[in-house]
Structure formats: structure tokens, C-alpha cells
């Protein structure tokens, strides 16, 4: 297993998350805001944020996602996130599967 992310190598997973979002969802727009990169495809559905020891992929309507893989974290009223501790977590925690789920959740306002 790859060790925890360090400040010197944390931007690579962040860029990989952004690339995967654009590859998985079309169209997918990016906006740098709130200290991270926000993603939208008709509606804003998530973003990626870099912290000292991890990268967090946040989903604004994540509480609506029926978590099929059990990787979502958080217990707030609306948001959920994937905490990526290594570059391998992008694949291991199935980010590519969560992106369309997060978009669908954001599009369903109920």
C-alpha cells in the first residue's frame, strides 16, 4: 500500500480526480473555488479538496446516495465525502462509480 499522502505529492491525486470527473461525466465543468476544484454537469455536484494528509472528494448531496460500496464518510444532513489517503484510493474506493451517483443525487432536489 502507498503511504499517506504528503504535501509534496498531494496535487497528483487531486489532478487525477479532476481528470476522472471529466472522463466519466460529459459535460463536466470545473471551477476553482473555496480552496478546491468544484465539478458541475448541469448542476454542481461535488469537488475535490487537498488537505495536509489526504484528498477529500466531497459530494454536496451525498446524503441522498445509497452507498453501494460503503466508502462514503460523514453524517451531516446533506454532504458526504470520500477520503483518499493514497493515490490508489481513487480506484480502490471506486471514485468513478460515485461520480454519476453524486450527479444524480444533486439533480434530484427532493
Amino acid at each position: 500500500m502507498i503511504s499517506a499522502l504528503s504535501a509534496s505529492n498531494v496535487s497528483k491525486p487531486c489532478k487525477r480526480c479532476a481528470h476522472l470527473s471529466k472522463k466519466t461525466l460529459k459535460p463536466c465543468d470545473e471551477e476553482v473555488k473555496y480552496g478546491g476544484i468544484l465539478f458541475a454537469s448541469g448542476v454542481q455536484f461535488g469537488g475535490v479538496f487537498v488537505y495536509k494528509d489526504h484528498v477529500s472528494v466531497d459530494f454536496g448531496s451525498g446524503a441522498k446516495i445509497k452507498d453501494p460500496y460503503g466508502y462514503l464518510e460523514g453524517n451531516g444532513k446533506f454532504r458526504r465525502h470520500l477520503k483518499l489517503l493514497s493515490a490508489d484510493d481513487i480506484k480502490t474506493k471506486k471514485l468513478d462509480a460515485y461520480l454519476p451517483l453524486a450527479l444524480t443525487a444533486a439533480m434530484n432536489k427532493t
Side-chain angles (χ1 to χ4, degrees):
M1 174 159 180
I2 295 175
S3 63
L5 298 172
S6 67
S8 63
N9 69 358
V10 75
S11 66
K12 185 176 180 180
C14 183
K15 289 177 184 176
R16 287 176 61 189
C17 290
H19 175 76
L20 183 60
S21 295
K22 287 185 143 312
K23 180 180 170 187
T24 304
L25 301 170
K26 295 182 191 234
C28 184
D29 299 314
E30 297 177 1
E31 178 182 10
V32 176
K33 197 170 187 178
Y34 308 122
I37 302 171
L38 301 181
F39 305 119
S41 184
V43 297
Q44 185 177 319
F45 65 91
V48 61
F49 299 89
V50 177
Y51 296 93
K52 181 180 176 186
D53 295 322
H54 70 280
V55 171
S56 181
V57 182
D58 294 357
F59 304 120
S61 296
K64 295 180 189 175
I65 297 172
K66 295 198 186 304
D67 189 359
Y69 308 106
Y71 293 119
L72 288 178
E73 296 185 35
N75 55 11
K77 189 173 182 179
F78 300 107
R79 301 175 90 66
R80 296 290 182 273
H81 65 276
L82 292 174
K83 189 175 194 177
L84 308 177
L85 298 175
S86 71
D88 288 344
D89 279 350
I90 294 169
K91 187 171 185 174
T92 302
K93 293 190 175 181
K94 303 183 184 299
L95 177 59
D96 61 334
Y98 280 103
L99 292 170
L101 295 174
L103 177 58
T104 299
M107 293 174 82
N108 295 324
K109 295 290 183 185
T110 58

